[in-house]
Amino acid sequence: MKAFSDLTEQEILALAISSEEDDSRTYLAFAHALMDKFPASAKVFVEMAEEEQAHKESLTDAYRKKFGDFIPLIRRGDVLGFVKHTPVWLSRQMTLETMRQRAEMLELENMRFYTKAAEQAVDPAIQKLLQELALAEKEHTSLADRLGLKHLTPDARLEEADARQKLFLLQVIQPGLVGLMDGSVSTLAPLFAAAFATHNTWETFLVGLAASIGAGISMGLAEALSDDGKLSGRGRPLIRGLASGLMTMVGGLGHTLPYLIPDFWTATVVAMIVVFFELWAISWIRWKYMDTPFLRAAFQVAVGGALVFLAGIFIGSS
């Protein structure tokens, strides 16, 4: 992957062209899914797709005037700093409200992208175009609402949650949730390996404490160094790193603290109960914030957690 700051002017335009195409396809997919039950809302997304196509044509014209006809395919996933969204075709349970929130998020992210791209552009004409698109995207952050006034009757409209708050939850709170999941699962094996190898609660507690702190530091650094937040709008690296690191430690300490109980089997049973509730909580988090069906999330987490748990017991007992 390449850092956004290292992109050339040609690469920035190519990335913008593919991004507008992707967003247009996303809105058309929403329109197709809503056409039967919510035809008025489908028209909203059709017009949004047309807006993105108009942006793409402007960018393509500017690209060809300076760089020729060949346009390399550069996508957001090839560049550091962009938020990763679940592809629409994998999101089977997207409601009308969720679609509108996704549209609001995309427009906010595009506004940041064009603002940063304009700052890096050298050619005055290209810089002006990118600044105009940044302004257009800023106005489009309420596009679903403004088009709703045109297409949707009061009875057809659904109350929308604040998209900025949802974006904050997705991009700032989510690192903490990912850390919680990692800490809860990754520390199971060393903790229970130490428990069944030593049958000593204090030594087991020290191993769990070390594993939790180590995992927290690792996850915190990984999150903080992965993205400076300037392009994606995901917030300051320090805050994201602290959230991810602290929640990773919390996830590991949950089943570590029971080993402060002097009796080995009592501590182990309590720790196992805690693990059950941790895995249930992780399944709920994946369902709530990551668009994963609850039963599928529960099955995946249960199988993964059980394998790690059993691996720790097997290693400790051998």
Side-chain angles (χ1 to χ4, degrees):
M1 297 178 70
K2 194 171 184 179
F4 180 78
S5 59
D6 295 332
L7 295 181
T8 65
E9 201 169 57
Q10 182 179 10
E11 291 169 338
I12 288 175
L13 285 178
L15 172 61
I17 291 169
S18 70
S19 297
E20 294 289 356
E21 176 67 23
D22 288 342
D23 292 347
S24 177
R25 288 179 177 274
T26 295
Y27 297 147
L28 287 177
F30 290 168
H32 177 74
L34 296 172
M35 194 62 70
D36 293 335
K37 294 184 178 180
F38 302 99
S41 294
K43 292 180 181 178
V44 172
F45 288 115
V46 168
E47 286 206 6
M48 294 178 73
E50 292 172 351
E51 292 281 350
E52 302 306 306
Q53 283 296 325
H55 293 172
K56 177 189 173 184
E57 291 173 5
S58 298
L59 289 162
T60 302
D61 289 341
Y63 182 97
R64 286 174 173 164
K65 286 178 181 178
K66 185 167 185 180
F67 301 109
D69 292 332
F70 174 72
I71 304 176
L73 180 59
I74 303 176
R75 297 193 180 279
R76 292 177 176 124
D78 303 324
V79 181
L80 293 173
F82 282 97
V83 178
K84 294 182 180 179
H85 295 287
T86 302
V88 174
W89 65 276
L90 290 176
S91 303
R92 301 178 181 178
Q93 297 182 334
M94 294 189 75
T95 63
L96 175 55
E97 182 182 0
T98 302
M99 293 178 186
R100 291 186 183 175
Q101 290 169 3
R102 171 72 74 87
E104 294 278 344
M105 291 177 189
L106 288 176
E107 301 294 350
L108 286 170
E109 292 165 9
N110 289 339
M111 179 187 68
R112 294 189 181 97
F113 164 66
Y114 284 121
T115 300
K116 297 296 294 183
E119 294 174 359
Q120 289 187 207
V122 177
D123 188 302
I126 293 177
Q127 186 179 59
K128 181 181 178 182
L129 173 61
L130 295 172
Q131 290 172 341
E132 290 173 351
L133 289 174
L135 181 60
E137 297 291 354
K138 182 178 181 180
E139 295 174 351
H140 290 172
T141 56
S142 60
L143 182 60
D145 181 66
R146 291 192 293 108
L147 290 177
L149 296 177
K150 177 179 177 181
H151 288 301
L152 302 182
T153 64
D155 291 337
R157 298 189 60 183
L158 297 178
E159 182 179 358
E160 295 184 5
D162 186 349
R164 292 180 184 272
Q165 181 181 0
K166 291 294 183 180
L167 188 63
F168 174 80
L169 289 174
L170 173 67
Q171 300 174 345
V172 178
I173 300 301
Q174 192 179 52
L177 299 179
V178 173
L180 178 63
M181 292 188 293
D182 181 84
S184 297
V185 175
S186 66
T187 56
L188 287 177
L191 179 76
F192 286 100
F196 282 85
T198 65
H199 283 74
N200 184 298
T201 58
W202 177 247
E203 292 181 0
T204 300
F205 171 77
L206 293 178
V207 170
L209 182 64
S212 300
I213 294 175
I217 293 173
S218 175
M219 283 291 291
L221 288 174
E223 177 60 39
L225 297 175
S226 66
D227 174 19
D228 62 11
K230 294 180 180 179
L231 177 60
S232 64
R234 298 179 66 222
R236 297 180 179 179
L238 178 61
I239 295 176
R240 295 197 333 269
L242 286 174
S244 180
L246 289 174
M247 292 306 291
T248 300
M249 282 191 282
V250 168
L253 289 174
H255 44 259
T256 296
L257 291 176
Y259 281 96
L260 289 174
I261 301 172
D263 182 74
F264 171 77
W265 286 110
T266 301
T268 299
V269 170
V270 173
M272 290 179 178
I273 294 173
V274 171
V275 168
F276 171 81
F277 284 104
E278 286 175 345
L279 297 181
W280 182 91
I282 292 172
S283 300
W284 183 86
I285 289 170
R286 295 191 64 197
W287 167 75
K288 181 68 175 180
Y289 294 98
M290 299 183 180
D291 295 327
T292 305
F294 183 80
L295 292 179
R296 183 193 303 173
F299 177 77
Q300 292 172 344
V301 171
V303 171
L307 290 175
V308 176
F309 173 75
L310 292 174
I313 294 179
F314 176 77
I315 294 171
S317 301
S318 60

